[in-house]
Every structure is written in C-alpha cells, then in structure tokens.
Amino acid sequence: MTDTVTTTAAPTADAAPAADEAAADRALKAKHRAMWASGDYATLASDLIWSLGPRLVDATGIRPGERVLDVAAGSGNVAIPAALRGATVVASDLTPELFDVGRRLATEAGAELEWREADAEALPFGDGVFDAVLSCVGVMFAPHHRPAADELVRVARPGGRIGLLSWTPEGFIGRMFAAMKPFNAPPPAGVQPPPLWGDEQHVRELLDGRVTDLAMERGTLVVDRFRTGEELRDYFKAHYGPTIAVYARIADDASRVRALDDALAALGREAGLDGSGRPIEWEYLLVTARR
C-alpha cells in the first residue's frame, strides 16, 4: 500500500498583500455603511432632494417594461419614480438600513420594486442585464471611482442608457465637503473626493471609450427650507451622515467643533442665507450616455 501525502502549496508573494487589501476594503465599506446609516438621510432626501429623482428619470427617458437599476439608491428618490413609469426596478445600496423608509414610500406611492443590498464597486448582477443604470447623488460617494464607473457600464446592456446626477465641486455641497475637509481624517490611499463626479473632465476620463452619446449639463436645485446659515448647519449636523461623522471625529476638541460650526454657518451665509427666507441654489451635473 502506498502512503498518500497531502501537501499545501506555499502562498504566493502576492497573497498576503491581496488579503490585506481585501480586509481594508471591507473595513472601509463597513465605515461607509455606518456613516450613511447614522442620522436621518431618508428625511433629508425627502425634505431637500426628492425632485432630483424624477429629473434623472425624465432625462434618461425611462419607459414601461424596461429593466432599471438604481445604484446607491438610498430611500428611492430615483427608483420609485422609475417604477411608477412602469419599469421593472432594482434599488441597490450599500446601506440597507435606508430601505425600510424606501419600502414605505414606495407603498404609499403605489410603486412595486426590488430592494437589494449591493456595493456599487462590485454589483451582484450579470453583464448587460439592465436597459438603464441610474444614480442620483449616490455612486459619487463610492470611494473608488474607476471600479464604480466600470460597474455602471458593465451591467448596462449594449445600447442601454446610463444616467448620473452628482453635486459639482463648485456648487454648495461641493463647497461644504471642502469646508469639512480640514476637520476630517485623511482618506485612505486611492479614495477620491465625491464631488469629482460633478466635474465634466473627470467623468469623461471615467467613461472614455466605453459609451456613446455622452451628454453633460449643469443644473441647480432650488432649496428654500433654511433662513440662516446656522439653521442649515444644524440640520446637516442632525441628518447628514458625512457631517455627523466629521463632528464625531472632533467631538473631544471644543475649539475645533466651534471652528467647524463657524465654517458651515459662514458657508450658508455665503450661499445667500441672510435671514430673509429667499431660496438658495445647489449646483449639480447631469450626465447621460449609452453603452
């Protein structure tokens, strides 16, 4: 009888770094999920940006019977209007904690759709299975822009549409992120600022050679909810995950908290919140293309 000897191949030189990178990515995504689950993003979306969803649905011409994916859907401000057009819709997001409100809003609106937990950088869908792939101020917050763009293109069918709406670096939300940056931790290597998705050249580079009929248009969202910079600041401190995360990081340093308080209130005043009640405008970039 011959003895059978089982051997285990030695790990390759790349195995340990690859495992470390995978673990770091899981930790980063867990941090992002916790950030967006904090506060009350669903209320913010309903209060401030719900109208952007129908804007994107109109721009991409969603029709009955089409299969539509909403990437980083949040509580459904794109997915629900698309479903009401008669499309078969999947709302995907890294943060499924937002789905409970989304399901309620969909039920109230009479919309039927599927809710699916998913990482925008590794979507759990086959190649070319959607007629339209949309994202409204959503995929821009995926930390690695190239993999996220790759996935948007991959899951759209040949000839299918891609529609994106993102805050611009120069607009109010882009300036808010710039104001918070000195108080935030340095991003991990390879992580890019979300408002870059609102820069035309950056989007061209992400989609270059893989789409046709690329069109980009800047627009503005009129916001009339706030009277003063302080009121806007306090709303974001209570509702918006990225703002909540920055304040949590500096909570033990009263002088830095005051400095950030002052910076965000000043940003609101610079935008026109002078107590008069007149609205302000938040700039976005609307992108449409075909795979």
Side-chain angles (χ1 to χ4, degrees):
M1 181 177 180
T2 303
D3 291 336
T4 300
V5 178
T6 302
T7 59
T8 301
T12 65
D14 293 336
D20 290 344
E21 290 175 9
D25 188 66
R26 287 193 297 271
L28 177 62
K29 299 298 172 57
K31 183 178 179 180
H32 272 240
R33 174 176 171 171
M35 177 182 73
W36 289 108
S38 66
D40 189 356
Y41 182 75
T43 293
L44 182 148
S46 294
D47 287 347
L48 303 178
I49 67 167
W50 198 262
S51 64
L52 295 180
R55 173 79 178 93
L56 185 56
V57 169
D58 287 342
T60 48
I62 300 303
R63 298 184 294 272
E66 291 191 307
R67 186 160 172 77
V68 175
L69 174 64
D70 183 4
V71 178
S75 52
N77 71 314
V78 170
I80 292 171
L84 291 174
R85 291 282 182 92
T88 300
V89 179
V90 179
S92 69
D93 202 286
L94 184 68
T95 308
E97 289 86 347
L98 300 173
F99 291 169
D100 286 343
V101 173
R103 290 188 180 99
R104 175 177 59 77
L105 293 173
T107 298
E108 291 173 355
E112 295 185 5
L113 60 149
E114 177 184 350
W115 301 86
R116 182 84 174 268
E117 181 179 349
D119 179 353
E121 298 176 11
L123 294 169
F125 309 107
D127 296 351
V129 296
F130 292 98
D131 298 298
V133 181
L134 312 181
S135 188
C136 177
V137 297
V139 74
M140 66 179 290
F141 292 102
H144 306 106
H145 295 188
R146 174 64 65 179
D150 291 347
E151 288 294 271
L152 295 174
V153 174
R154 180 184 66 80
V155 300
R157 67 167 176 80
R161 287 103 69 210
I162 296 170
L164 309 172
L165 192 152
S166 306
W167 303 122
T168 66
E170 303 85 0
F172 179 83
I173 300 297
R175 298 201 309 275
M176 185 176 73
F177 273 89
M180 294 191 298
K181 182 178 178 180
F183 303 89
N184 214 342
V191 172
Q192 296 175 283
L196 277 178
W197 279 91
D199 176 81
E200 289 91 341
Q201 184 58 35
H202 185 67
V203 175
R204 287 191 187 96
E205 292 171 357
L206 290 174
L207 300 177
D208 184 47
R210 299 185 293 173
V211 301
T212 62
D213 301 335
L214 178 62
M216 290 184 273
E217 171 190 349
R218 293 197 177 208
T220 55
L221 173 70
V222 176
V223 178
D224 61 1
R225 184 179 179 86
F226 309 108
R227 295 183 61 85
T228 67
E230 288 77 10
E231 185 181 344
L232 180 145
R233 174 201 66 205
D234 292 344
Y235 183 93
F236 274 79
K237 286 176 70 172
H239 292 82
Y240 195 53
T243 307
I244 292 167
V246 174
Y247 273 100
R249 181 176 183 270
I250 63 173
D252 294 333
D253 189 333
S255 64
R256 298 198 78 199
V257 170
R258 286 194 299 272
L260 181 54
D261 276 347
D262 291 344
L264 293 181
L267 182 65
R269 289 192 293 272
E270 291 167 9
L273 295 176
D274 56 6
S276 66
R278 67 186 179 94
I280 59 175
E281 295 183 345
W282 297 357
E283 187 180 59
Y284 60 81
L285 179 69
L286 176 65
V287 176
T288 57
R290 287 187 180 274
R291 179 182 172 188

